[in-house]
Amino acid sequence: MARSAATTATKEATPPANSSPAPQQDSNDFLWTYTEEPHRTRRLAIIKAHPEVLKLCGPEPMTKYVVAGVVGLQVVLAYLLQSTPFWSLKFWAIAYVFGATANQNLFLAIHEISHNLAFKSPLANRLIAIVANLPIGIPYSASFRPYHLTHHKSLGVDGLDTDLPTALEAFVLNSILGKAFFCTFQIFFYAIRPMTVYRVDLTKIHALNILVQAAFDVVLVRFTSYNALLYLLLSSFLAGSLHPLAGHFIAEHYVYETITPTQRNPDNKVPLPETFSYYGPLNILAYNVGYHNEHHDFPAIPWTRLHSLYEIAKEFYEPLPHHQSWSYAIWRFIWDENVGMSCRVKRKEGGRLVGGGAKWKQSEVEA
């Protein structure tokens, strides 16, 4: 069985995570901290020790070709399934194995592109994100960017970081059934939650995203059938449900490690672990999003160069706790009573809002 383990510089002496205690905390509260988020501090330390890492920054030309290939694959599969009954095993099996994998890949392509890592031109990045959005069925690429960039700039900040569960979610879903419900329908939580926290300004790119997606959906149904569109929508749902690749949503920032009483002291200044990487083979299908500490440290480094960052700055990353399996991360999240919705690090202030009326230069966003 794949296991999620905390690794340190002396790996041999570290017990696997499934045999070590999980975070000890009040189940009705989050892990509150008064320290600065760790990524800026580590980024500066890495740059000081290895200034050559800055050469890794910049767009990755391969991204647009991967996007085109996956979009094409999904359109072909939708066409081939136009006459296959929605309730058939074949329809669901293809949607789960191929469709969900492809659409999760496109979710993460949009994530990558939100950092302007497909083209040098910001407009070109906005447009390729709209193309990547097509097989997802629902327009969201334009809205995702400001929320995601705020997640980077305001990691863990209550009221700004929409990746954080709300207090209501943590209270209602604090059970095995509740966590299983969240994992099954988490795509809807990530779609609806941002709008309940704060709303970003609508722009021409939002309008274009909606118009292009609506036109694509209408043309798809007109020349195939409603089943083709249902295939794409089902693929998107399964991609954010109980699917191995969907494990990254939970594995990235939910705290599985032991949090000592000293660390939980509100006056304590020792940073809590709050971002966790995964270095396994599923990264091949997921734009290396498993290199999540690396991504938060250097959001301007594209997916193809995150491994190089890890190798260059190995002394910084190797001691950090990380997951061995996204599937096991989901399993343990559901069944371990000590791991749940409130196992997230929160801070009451700090950070910056990107969007929602705030105007930031691109250099500030990517810093």
Side-chain angles (χ1 to χ4, degrees):
M1 177 185 295
R3 298 178 299 181
S4 173
T7 58
T8 66
T10 55
K11 292 182 182 179
E12 295 80 2
T14 304
N18 61 339
S19 64
S20 63
Q24 299 300 308
Q25 68 175 104
D26 180 347
S27 61
N28 293 319
D29 201 5
F30 292 89
L31 296 163
W32 291 95
T33 184
Y34 292 87
T35 64
E36 181 186 36
E37 61 90 7
H39 299 290
R40 180 179 179 276
T41 302
R42 187 163 54 237
R43 174 167 63 248
L44 294 176
I46 290 174
I47 291 173
K48 182 177 181 180
H50 304 286
E52 66 273 21
V53 299
L54 294 177
K55 297 179 181 179
L56 299 174
C57 298
E60 171 50 67
M62 188 188 305
T63 299
K64 59 181 176 290
Y65 300 114
V66 177
V67 167
V70 177
V71 169
L73 171 66
Q74 280 293 76
V75 171
V76 169
L77 289 175
Y79 173 81
L80 294 175
L81 290 172
Q82 62 180 300
S83 299
T84 304
F86 174 77
W87 55 85
S88 70
L89 177 61
K90 175 183 177 181
F91 193 97
W92 280 73
I94 293 175
Y96 186 85
V97 176
F98 296 102
T101 302
N103 277 13
Q104 182 63 247
N105 179 272
L106 292 172
F107 290 157
L108 294 170
I110 292 170
H111 164 262
E112 185 79 5
I113 295 164
S114 72
H115 292 284
N116 284 350
L117 292 178
F119 296 96
K120 291 182 179 180
S121 163
L123 178 59
N125 282 285
R126 303 295 80 73
L127 295 178
I128 191 66
I130 291 173
V131 173
N133 197 149
L134 295 177
I136 293 169
I138 303 294
Y140 93 102
S141 65
S143 297
F144 171 80
R145 185 172 187 266
Y147 284 119
H148 179 67
L149 295 181
T150 299
H151 164 65
H152 274 265
K153 287 302 176 185
S154 307
L155 182 65
V157 179
D158 194 31
L160 286 180
D161 185 358
T162 58
D163 189 69
L164 291 166
T166 63
L168 179 62
E169 289 174 64
F171 176 75
V172 173
L173 302 175
N174 191 32
S175 66
I176 290 176
L177 288 178
K179 291 185 290 182
F181 180 85
F182 173 75
C183 289
T184 303
F185 297 98
Q186 62 180 315
I187 192 69
F188 296 113
F189 286 88
Y190 283 110
I192 297 171
R193 183 194 299 147
M195 293 182 290
T196 68
V197 178
Y198 67 89
R199 295 189 181 185
V200 299
D201 293 338
L202 295 180
T203 66
K204 293 179 181 179
I205 290 296
H206 287 86
L208 183 62
N209 186 194
I210 295 169
L211 180 63
V212 171
Q213 188 65 56
F216 173 83
D217 292 350
V218 169
V219 170
L220 181 68
V221 171
R222 172 67 178 81
F223 289 96
T224 56
S225 70
Y226 281 103
N227 267 15
L229 180 58
L230 284 174
Y231 162 74
L232 297 180
L233 294 174
L234 179 61
S235 296
S236 294
F237 167 72
L238 294 174
S241 185
L242 298 175
H243 189 278
L245 290 184
H248 82 86
F249 289 125
I250 293 171
E252 289 165 358
H253 295 293
Y254 282 88
V255 180
Y256 287 65
E257 307 307 315
T258 300
I259 302 301
T260 67
T262 300
Q263 285 178 303
R264 285 196 54 78
N265 184 335
D267 295 325
N268 184 59
K269 300 301 181 182
V270 178
L272 296 172
E274 55 188 293
T275 303
F276 304 89
S277 291
Y278 157 79
Y279 301 116
L282 292 183
N283 276 307
I284 296 172
L285 302 172
Y287 282 88
N288 283 330
V289 76
Y291 287 78
H292 215 65
N293 268 301
E294 295 80 352
H295 170 64
H296 270 268
D297 288 352
F298 292 90
I301 294 180
W303 60 285
T304 53
R305 302 173 207 151
L306 289 174
H307 176 71
S308 297
L309 169 62
Y310 174 87
E311 290 298 327
I312 291 172
K314 204 166 188 176
E315 72 273 22
F316 289 90
Y317 293 119
E318 196 170 38
L320 299 177
H322 66 263
H323 291 278
Q324 298 288 353
S325 166
W326 278 338
S327 296
Y328 182 72
I330 296 175
W331 177 269
R332 186 179 171 197
F333 179 82
I334 294 173
W335 290 101
D336 190 332
E337 63 181 9
N338 294 309
V339 179
M341 301 294 294
S342 59
C343 289
R344 289 291 299 265
V345 175
K346 276 193 176 187
R347 42 183 57 84
K348 291 187 179 295
E349 56 187 20
R352 297 185 297 181
L353 178 67
V354 180
K359 304 299 182 183
W360 299 99
K361 295 179 180 178
Q362 185 60 32
S363 59
E364 292 179 302
V365 169
E366 300 298 351

mmCIF file of all heavy atoms in Angstrom, residues 181-207:
data_model
loop_
_atom_site.group_PDB
_atom_site.id
_atom_site.type_symbol
_atom_site.label_atom_id
_atom_site.label_comp_id
_atom_site.label_asym_id
_atom_site.label_seq_id
_atom_site.Cartn_x
_atom_site.Cartn_y
_atom_site.Cartn_z
ATOM 1 N N PHE A 181 -18.167 13.065 1.737
ATOM 2 C CA PHE A 181 -19.005 13.933 0.891
ATOM 3 C C PHE A 181 -18.149 15.033 0.270
ATOM 4 O O PHE A 181 -18.264 15.323 -0.924
ATOM 5 C CB PHE A 181 -20.129 14.534 1.732
ATOM 6 C CG PHE A 181 -21.048 15.448 0.966
ATOM 7 C CD1 PHE A 181 -22.122 14.936 0.249
ATOM 8 C CD2 PHE A 181 -20.840 16.824 0.947
ATOM 9 C CE1 PHE A 181 -22.970 15.775 -0.467
ATOM 10 C CE2 PHE A 181 -21.680 17.669 0.242
ATOM 11 C CZ PHE A 181 -22.740 17.145 -0.473
ATOM 12 N N PHE A 182 -17.292 15.641 1.081
ATOM 13 C CA PHE A 182 -16.428 16.709 0.570
ATOM 14 C C PHE A 182 -15.513 16.187 -0.535
ATOM 15 O O PHE A 182 -15.369 16.821 -1.590
ATOM 16 C CB PHE A 182 -15.592 17.295 1.706
ATOM 17 C CG PHE A 182 -14.564 18.290 1.243
ATOM 18 C CD1 PHE A 182 -14.930 19.572 0.867
ATOM 19 C CD2 PHE A 182 -13.221 17.935 1.168
ATOM 20 C CE1 PHE A 182 -13.988 20.489 0.432
ATOM 21 C CE2 PHE A 182 -12.271 18.839 0.736
ATOM 22 C CZ PHE A 182 -12.651 20.125 0.364
ATOM 23 N N CYS A 183 -14.885 15.051 -0.313
ATOM 24 C CA CYS A 183 -13.968 14.499 -1.316
ATOM 25 C C CYS A 183 -14.703 14.124 -2.606
ATOM 26 O O CYS A 183 -14.145 14.238 -3.699
ATOM 27 C CB CYS A 183 -13.245 13.280 -0.754
ATOM 28 S SG CYS A 183 -12.018 13.685 0.500
ATOM 29 N N THR A 184 -15.947 13.669 -2.470
ATOM 30 C CA THR A 184 -16.723 13.276 -3.646
ATOM 31 C C THR A 184 -17.169 14.482 -4.455
ATOM 32 O O THR A 184 -17.154 14.460 -5.695
ATOM 33 C CB THR A 184 -17.951 12.452 -3.228
ATOM 34 O OG1 THR A 184 -17.526 11.317 -2.471
ATOM 35 C CG2 THR A 184 -18.742 11.990 -4.443
ATOM 36 N N PHE A 185 -17.533 15.561 -3.765
ATOM 37 C CA PHE A 185 -18.101 16.731 -4.443
ATOM 38 C C PHE A 185 -17.228 17.982 -4.299
ATOM 39 O O PHE A 185 -17.720 19.097 -4.437
ATOM 40 C CB PHE A 185 -19.502 17.019 -3.884
ATOM 41 C CG PHE A 185 -20.489 15.912 -4.119
ATOM 42 C CD1 PHE A 185 -20.761 14.992 -3.114
ATOM 43 C CD2 PHE A 185 -21.122 15.772 -5.350
ATOM 44 C CE1 PHE A 185 -21.667 13.946 -3.332
ATOM 45 C CE2 PHE A 185 -22.027 14.735 -5.568
ATOM 46 C CZ PHE A 185 -22.300 13.824 -4.559
ATOM 47 N N GLN A 186 -15.922 17.772 -4.077
ATOM 48 C CA GLN A 186 -15.084 18.931 -3.794
ATOM 49 C C GLN A 186 -14.977 19.892 -4.970
ATOM 50 O O GLN A 186 -14.737 21.086 -4.775
ATOM 51 C CB GLN A 186 -13.687 18.500 -3.343
ATOM 52 C CG GLN A 186 -12.875 17.719 -4.342
ATOM 53 C CD GLN A 186 -11.507 17.341 -3.774
ATOM 54 O OE1 GLN A 186 -10.832 18.159 -3.162
ATOM 55 N NE2 GLN A 186 -11.119 16.089 -3.953
ATOM 56 N N ILE A 187 -15.225 19.428 -6.181
ATOM 57 C CA ILE A 187 -15.193 20.327 -7.330
ATOM 58 C C ILE A 187 -16.221 21.442 -7.173
ATOM 59 O O ILE A 187 -15.984 22.594 -7.559
ATOM 60 C CB ILE A 187 -15.436 19.537 -8.646
ATOM 61 C CG1 ILE A 187 -15.120 20.403 -9.861
ATOM 62 C CG2 ILE A 187 -16.844 18.992 -8.727
ATOM 63 C CD1 ILE A 187 -13.665 20.706 -10.026
ATOM 64 N N PHE A 188 -17.364 21.126 -6.567
ATOM 65 C CA PHE A 188 -18.397 22.143 -6.352
ATOM 66 C C PHE A 188 -17.999 23.115 -5.235
ATOM 67 O O PHE A 188 -18.305 24.302 -5.303
ATOM 68 C CB PHE A 188 -19.734 21.484 -6.033
ATOM 69 C CG PHE A 188 -20.276 20.650 -7.159
ATOM 70 C CD1 PHE A 188 -20.382 19.276 -7.047
ATOM 71 C CD2 PHE A 188 -20.669 21.243 -8.349
ATOM 72 C CE1 PHE A 188 -20.871 18.508 -8.093
ATOM 73 C CE2 PHE A 188 -21.170 20.490 -9.398
ATOM 74 C CZ PHE A 188 -21.268 19.115 -9.271
ATOM 75 N N PHE A 189 -17.312 22.591 -4.211
ATOM 76 C CA PHE A 189 -16.848 23.467 -3.136
ATOM 77 C C PHE A 189 -15.853 24.487 -3.677
ATOM 78 O O PHE A 189 -15.914 25.674 -3.336
ATOM 79 C CB PHE A 189 -16.203 22.645 -2.015
ATOM 80 C CG PHE A 189 -17.189 21.886 -1.174
ATOM 81 C CD1 PHE A 189 -17.597 20.603 -1.528
ATOM 82 C CD2 PHE A 189 -17.728 22.456 -0.033
ATOM 83 C CE1 PHE A 189 -18.503 19.893 -0.756
ATOM 84 C CE2 PHE A 189 -18.638 21.763 0.752
ATOM 85 C CZ PHE A 189 -19.027 20.480 0.384
ATOM 86 N N TYR A 190 -14.924 24.034 -4.529
ATOM 87 C CA TYR A 190 -13.926 24.946 -5.076
ATOM 88 C C TYR A 190 -14.542 25.918 -6.078
ATOM 89 O O TYR A 190 -14.000 26.998 -6.306
ATOM 90 C CB TYR A 190 -12.792 24.156 -5.725
ATOM 91 C CG TYR A 190 -11.835 23.565 -4.716
ATOM 92 C CD1 TYR A 190 -11.773 22.183 -4.492
ATOM 93 C CD2 TYR A 190 -10.999 24.393 -3.964
ATOM 94 C CE1 TYR A 190 -10.912 21.652 -3.556
ATOM 95 C CE2 TYR A 190 -10.130 23.866 -3.021
ATOM 96 C CZ TYR A 190 -10.085 22.498 -2.828
ATOM 97 O OH TYR A 190 -9.242 21.973 -1.884
ATOM 98 N N ALA A 191 -15.670 25.542 -6.672
ATOM 99 C CA ALA A 191 -16.338 26.434 -7.622
ATOM 100 C C ALA A 191 -17.176 27.494 -6.911
ATOM 101 O O ALA A 191 -17.201 28.662 -7.320
ATOM 102 C CB ALA A 191 -17.226 25.619 -8.564
ATOM 103 N N ILE A 192 -17.848 27.100 -5.827
ATOM 104 C CA ILE A 192 -18.798 27.999 -5.154
ATOM 105 C C ILE A 192 -18.147 28.806 -4.033
ATOM 106 O O ILE A 192 -18.462 29.979 -3.840
ATOM 107 C CB ILE A 192 -19.992 27.183 -4.609
ATOM 108 C CG1 ILE A 192 -20.749 26.534 -5.773
ATOM 109 C CG2 ILE A 192 -20.919 28.059 -3.786
ATOM 110 C CD1 ILE A 192 -21.798 25.539 -5.337
ATOM 111 N N ARG A 193 -17.220 28.185 -3.289
ATOM 112 C CA ARG A 193 -16.644 28.847 -2.123
ATOM 113 C C ARG A 193 -16.062 30.233 -2.406
ATOM 114 O O ARG A 193 -16.320 31.185 -1.635
ATOM 115 C CB ARG A 193 -15.569 27.964 -1.491
ATOM 116 C CG ARG A 193 -14.970 28.560 -0.216
ATOM 117 C CD ARG A 193 -13.712 27.836 0.181
ATOM 118 N NE ARG A 193 -13.952 26.430 0.457
ATOM 119 C CZ ARG A 193 -13.072 25.462 0.205
ATOM 120 N NH1 ARG A 193 -11.917 25.746 -0.348
ATOM 121 N NH2 ARG A 193 -13.353 24.201 0.496
ATOM 122 N N PRO A 194 -15.278 30.427 -3.489
ATOM 123 C CA PRO A 194 -14.697 31.761 -3.713
ATOM 124 C C PRO A 194 -15.729 32.884 -3.740
ATOM 125 O O PRO A 194 -15.507 33.954 -3.173
ATOM 126 C CB PRO A 194 -13.995 31.613 -5.068
ATOM 127 C CG PRO A 194 -13.645 30.161 -5.141
ATOM 128 C CD PRO A 194 -14.803 29.460 -4.490
ATOM 129 N N MET A 195 -16.871 32.627 -4.369
ATOM 130 C CA MET A 195 -17.892 33.668 -4.484
ATOM 131 C C MET A 195 -18.537 33.996 -3.141
ATOM 132 O O MET A 195 -19.092 35.072 -2.965
ATOM 133 C CB MET A 195 -18.956 33.240 -5.492
ATOM 134 C CG MET A 195 -18.441 33.146 -6.918
ATOM 135 S SD MET A 195 -19.728 32.685 -8.100
ATOM 136 C CE MET A 195 -20.032 30.976 -7.646
ATOM 137 N N THR A 196 -18.460 33.075 -2.185
ATOM 138 C CA THR A 196 -19.022 33.340 -0.860
ATOM 139 C C THR A 196 -18.043 34.123 0.021
ATOM 140 O O THR A 196 -18.437 34.655 1.055
ATOM 141 C CB THR A 196 -19.399 32.030 -0.151
ATOM 142 O OG1 THR A 196 -18.206 31.299 0.174
ATOM 143 C CG2 THR A 196 -20.287 31.172 -1.036
ATOM 144 N N VAL A 197 -16.762 34.150 -0.372
ATOM 145 C CA VAL A 197 -15.737 34.850 0.411
ATOM 146 C C VAL A 197 -15.595 36.287 -0.081
ATOM 147 O O VAL A 197 -15.697 37.239 0.672
ATOM 148 C CB VAL A 197 -14.395 34.104 0.343
ATOM 149 C CG1 VAL A 197 -13.302 34.858 1.109
ATOM 150 C CG2 VAL A 197 -14.538 32.684 0.899
ATOM 151 N N TYR A 198 -15.349 36.461 -1.374
ATOM 152 C CA TYR A 198 -15.336 37.786 -1.996
ATOM 153 C C TYR A 198 -15.434 37.598 -3.500
ATOM 154 O O TYR A 198 -15.122 36.529 -4.022
ATOM 155 C CB TYR A 198 -14.067 38.585 -1.638
ATOM 156 C CG TYR A 198 -12.790 38.020 -2.215
ATOM 157 C CD1 TYR A 198 -12.332 38.394 -3.482
ATOM 158 C CD2 TYR A 198 -12.015 37.114 -1.485
ATOM 159 C CE1 TYR A 198 -11.161 37.871 -4.002
ATOM 160 C CE2 TYR A 198 -10.854 36.591 -1.998
ATOM 161 C CZ TYR A 198 -10.422 36.973 -3.258
ATOM 162 O OH TYR A 198 -9.264 36.459 -3.773
ATOM 163 N N ARG A 199 -15.878 38.604 -4.190
ATOM 164 C CA ARG A 199 -16.057 38.512 -5.635
ATOM 165 C C ARG A 199 -15.057 39.399 -6.359
ATOM 166 O O ARG A 199 -14.815 40.533 -5.956
ATOM 167 C CB ARG A 199 -17.487 38.914 -6.018
ATOM 168 C CG ARG A 199 -18.539 37.958 -5.457
ATOM 169 C CD ARG A 199 -19.918 38.245 -6.024
ATOM 170 N NE ARG A 199 -20.917 37.339 -5.460
ATOM 171 C CZ ARG A 199 -22.182 37.300 -5.851
ATOM 172 N NH1 ARG A 199 -22.613 38.148 -6.792
ATOM 173 N NH2 ARG A 199 -23.019 36.443 -5.299
ATOM 174 N N VAL A 200 -14.499 38.861 -7.438
ATOM 175 C CA VAL A 200 -13.558 39.639 -8.236
ATOM 176 C C VAL A 200 -14.328 40.450 -9.275
ATOM 177 O O VAL A 200 -15.483 40.145 -9.602
ATOM 178 C CB VAL A 200 -12.546 38.714 -8.955
ATOM 179 C CG1 VAL A 200 -11.732 37.933 -7.943
ATOM 180 C CG2 VAL A 200 -13.252 37.764 -9.917
ATOM 181 N N ASP A 201 -13.691 41.492 -9.785
ATOM 182 C CA ASP A 201 -14.314 42.317 -10.817
ATOM 183 C C ASP A 201 -14.422 41.532 -12.120
ATOM 184 O O ASP A 201 -13.499 40.804 -12.500
ATOM 185 C CB ASP A 201 -13.477 43.573 -11.070
ATOM 186 C CG ASP A 201 -13.475 44.516 -9.873
ATOM 187 O OD1 ASP A 201 -14.411 44.416 -9.058
ATOM 188 O OD2 ASP A 201 -12.551 45.338 -9.769
ATOM 189 N N LEU A 202 -15.532 41.674 -12.813
ATOM 190 C CA LEU A 202 -15.686 41.065 -14.128
ATOM 191 C C LEU A 202 -14.988 41.933 -15.162
ATOM 192 O O LEU A 202 -15.069 43.160 -15.123
ATOM 193 C CB LEU A 202 -17.165 40.901 -14.466
ATOM 194 C CG LEU A 202 -17.942 39.933 -13.576
ATOM 195 C CD1 LEU A 202 -19.401 39.863 -14.034
ATOM 196 C CD2 LEU A 202 -17.326 38.540 -13.600
ATOM 197 N N THR A 203 -14.296 41.295 -16.076
ATOM 198 C CA THR A 203 -13.528 42.003 -17.094
ATOM 199 C C THR A 203 -13.929 41.511 -18.482
ATOM 200 O O THR A 203 -14.757 40.602 -18.629
ATOM 201 C CB THR A 203 -12.023 41.769 -16.898
ATOM 202 O OG1 THR A 203 -11.748 40.366 -17.145
ATOM 203 C CG2 THR A 203 -11.594 42.112 -15.478
ATOM 204 N N LYS A 204 -13.313 42.086 -19.502
ATOM 205 C CA LYS A 204 -13.556 41.647 -20.872
ATOM 206 C C LYS A 204 -13.116 40.206 -21.079
ATOM 207 O O LYS A 204 -13.723 39.474 -21.869
ATOM 208 C CB LYS A 204 -12.826 42.572 -21.852
ATOM 209 C CG LYS A 204 -13.380 43.994 -21.899
ATOM 210 C CD LYS A 204 -12.592 44.843 -22.875
ATOM 211 C CE LYS A 204 -13.144 46.276 -22.909
ATOM 212 N NZ LYS A 204 -12.380 47.144 -23.846
ATOM 213 N N ILE A 205 -12.072 39.797 -20.361
ATOM 214 C CA ILE A 205 -11.610 38.410 -20.468
ATOM 215 C C ILE A 205 -12.650 37.454 -19.889
ATOM 216 O O ILE A 205 -12.884 36.362 -20.440
ATOM 217 C CB ILE A 205 -10.254 38.237 -19.757
ATOM 218 C CG1 ILE A 205 -9.152 38.957 -20.539
ATOM 219 C CG2 ILE A 205 -9.910 36.759 -19.604
ATOM 220 C CD1 ILE A 205 -8.911 38.389 -21.930
ATOM 221 N N HIS A 206 -13.302 37.846 -18.798
ATOM 222 C CA HIS A 206 -14.399 37.032 -18.255
ATOM 223 C C HIS A 206 -15.504 36.872 -19.297
ATOM 224 O O HIS A 206 -16.025 35.766 -19.516
ATOM 225 C CB HIS A 206 -14.985 37.678 -16.997
ATOM 226 C CG HIS A 206 -14.111 37.587 -15.792
ATOM 227 N ND1 HIS A 206 -13.126 38.503 -15.528
ATOM 228 C CD2 HIS A 206 -14.066 36.693 -14.772
ATOM 229 C CE1 HIS A 206 -12.524 38.187 -14.399
ATOM 230 N NE2 HIS A 206 -13.076 37.093 -13.914
ATOM 231 N N ALA A 207 -15.863 37.983 -19.920
ATOM 232 C CA ALA A 207 -16.929 37.953 -20.927
ATOM 233 C C ALA A 207 -16.542 37.068 -22.102
ATOM 234 O O ALA A 207 -17.358 36.283 -22.610
ATOM 235 C CB ALA A 207 -17.236 39.371 -21.400
#
